[in-house]
Every structure is written in structure tokens, then in C-alpha cells.
């Protein structure tokens, strides 16, 4: 039951953290929101592929 929300939350956290680290390293502010949205989309895709069968 908690698998799909866990996938979505983990994707947002992991890719958001990568974006945050890139923002800190490159002194920008664009990668954190891009990473968060990208993580949500990829995690949604993975959850759809795994649980749609």
C-alpha cells in the first residue's frame, strides 16, 4: 500500500538532493526545482511500470 508514495517521495528526495548539490557547486538556483520535478516524473514512471501489471 505504501509502495507508490514511497517511490514518489524517494525520487523527489534523491533527485532534489542532487539538484541542490549542483546548485551549491555551480552557484545557481535552477537545478533544485528541476531535480525535484524530474525525480517525481521518473519515480512516477517507475511506479507505473512496476505496479501496472
Amino acid at each position: 500500500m505504501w509502495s507508490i508514495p514511497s517511490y514518489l517521495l524517494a525520487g523527489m528526495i534523491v533527485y532534489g538532493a542532487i539538484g541542490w548539490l549542483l546548485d551549491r557547486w555551480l552557484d545557481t538556483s535552477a537545478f533544485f526545482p528541476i531535480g525535484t520535478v524530474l525525480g517525481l516524473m521518473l519515480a512516477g514512471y517507475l511506479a507505473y511500470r512496476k505496479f501496472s501489471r
Side-chain angles (χ1 to χ4, degrees), residues 7-8 10-16 34-44:
Y7 267 75
L8 297 176
M12 288 175 60
I13 290 171
V14 169
Y15 283 95
I34 291 170
T36 304
V37 171
L38 180 66
L40 181 61
M41 290 180 358
L42 289 175

Side-chain angles (χ1 to χ4, degrees), residues 11-45:
M12 288 175 60
I13 290 171
V14 169
Y15 283 95
I18 291 170
W20 180 77
L21 289 172
L22 281 172
D23 279 340
R24 299 279 289 180
W25 183 48
L26 298 173
D27 197 28
T28 62
S29 63
F31 289 108
F32 176 69
I34 291 170
T36 304
V37 171
L38 180 66
L40 181 61
M41 290 180 358
L42 289 175
Y45 173 72

